[in-house]
Amino acid sequence: MLPSDKSDAAYTALKQAIIEGALTPGTKLPEDSLGTHFGMSRTLIRAALARLVGEGLVVSQLKRTATVAQPSIEEARSVFELRRCLEAEVVRLVIARWEPAFGAALEGHVRQEEQAAKQQVPAVSARLAGEFHQLLAHMAGNALLERYVDEVVSRCSLILAIYGRPHTADCAIAEHRELIAALRRGDERSARKLMSHHLDSVEQRALHAEASRQGDDLGQILARYAEAARPAVAPMARKTTKKR
């Protein structure tokens, strides 16, 4: 595996562990321990952590051990304000570029959400719920918009880990299906209204109350996520579609 692939694998594993709440806010991420677990140099680990710092998921100060970020309530509210603006534009662009393949891809993703719900794996259900929105952003056809949506969705997952109530998969799945139906009809007004209502529900759950959580130690968490990240893969597989 190339050095860049190794760094990508560490980045992917750490990001997924943070998004799923396995690495809770405030968890220390020492470079030497991470290097040992991932079998790579501290330089490569530092590169992976730098990407996570850039996305607001990790905090790193000079000569201090990096930690999983702990956004304040004020920062959390700002993230949701921005997310509403971004996802309203996503809805507009997806409808403008709509093609049947989009509906099939979105429905396939919702089926994954349903499977995770049946298996009663809340952390995976929550991650998949966020990835639904990232998939929509990909379909919007604007790379910069997609990047920003990816970041705010990931930050929302971190916020949920701090302040939120447990993920309610049934509600998310039903709302995602309603949104797909509106997008397929080309009903922008209804789709924007559904998206706004959906994000209101997510924010209410995310900013419910501060949670006190006791998790596994760093080694146990990395053992689960490191293997899944080899070989390095993108956080979400996406199909490239061409506009007809």
Side-chain angles (χ1 to χ4, degrees):
M1 187 184 294
L2 296 173
S4 59
D5 291 336
K6 288 185 176 182
S7 184
D8 285 346
Y11 160 80
T12 299
L14 289 168
K15 182 173 183 177
Q16 186 167 328
I18 293 170
I19 288 173
E20 292 189 4
L23 289 175
T24 56
T27 300
K28 292 184 177 182
L29 303 171
E31 293 176 2
D32 53 352
S33 296
L34 295 178
T36 298
H37 281 286
F38 288 109
M40 63 186 72
S41 68
R42 293 180 64 175
T43 299
L44 294 178
I45 289 296
R46 201 171 293 128
L49 290 174
R51 292 173 66 182
L52 295 169
V53 169
E55 295 176 7
L57 298 179
V58 168
V59 175
S60 180
Q61 298 179 339
L62 185 63
K63 296 184 179 180
R64 290 191 178 183
T65 301
T67 61
V68 178
Q70 293 180 290
S72 66
I73 285 287
E74 291 73 20
E75 290 170 329
R77 292 196 178 104
S78 295
V79 169
F80 276 99
E81 286 176 359
L82 177 58
R83 183 171 176 179
R84 284 191 183 83
C85 295
L86 294 176
E87 297 221 50
E89 182 64 6
V90 165
V91 165
R92 185 186 73 81
L93 291 174
V94 169
I95 286 178
R97 301 181 72 246
W98 186 262
E99 56 183 87
F102 288 0
L106 290 168
E107 288 174 349
H109 188 86
V110 171
R111 285 193 292 273
Q112 292 181 50
E113 293 182 59
E114 289 176 326
Q115 185 63 30
K118 288 178 182 178
Q119 295 174 346
Q120 298 184 339
V121 189
V124 175
S125 293
R127 172 173 57 81
L128 288 170
E131 288 181 357
F132 175 88
H133 294 264
Q134 293 169 321
L135 179 57
L136 270 178
H138 176 65
M139 292 174 176
N142 183 311
L144 191 57
L145 178 60
E146 180 182 0
R147 173 185 166 189
Y148 290 154
V149 170
D150 282 354
E151 181 174 324
V152 296
V153 168
S154 296
R155 289 195 185 203
C156 285
S157 297
L158 180 60
I159 291 162
L160 280 161
I162 307 174
Y163 304 108
R165 292 194 298 262
H167 176 69
T168 53
D170 291 343
C171 291
I173 290 168
E175 291 170 357
H176 287 172
R177 287 201 180 282
E178 290 176 354
L179 182 58
I180 294 171
L183 293 170
R184 182 176 275 122
R185 294 195 307 269
D187 187 347
E188 182 179 340
R189 181 177 178 181
S190 292
R192 288 170 69 105
K193 186 176 180 179
L194 286 165
M195 179 66 83
S196 178
H197 174 74
H198 178 54
L199 293 180
D200 282 345
S201 298
V202 175
E203 181 175 11
Q204 288 171 12
R205 182 164 52 83
L207 302 183
H208 173 62
E210 186 170 2
S212 176
R213 308 180 66 174
Q214 186 71 32
D216 295 334
D217 65 31
L218 182 62
Q220 291 173 313
I221 294 167
L222 293 179
R224 295 200 302 269
Y225 285 89
E227 184 62 30
R230 296 192 184 101
V233 294
M236 176 177 59
R238 294 165 175 154
K239 293 177 65 178
T240 302
T241 57
K242 295 183 180 179
K243 184 175 176 62
R244 297 173 181 172

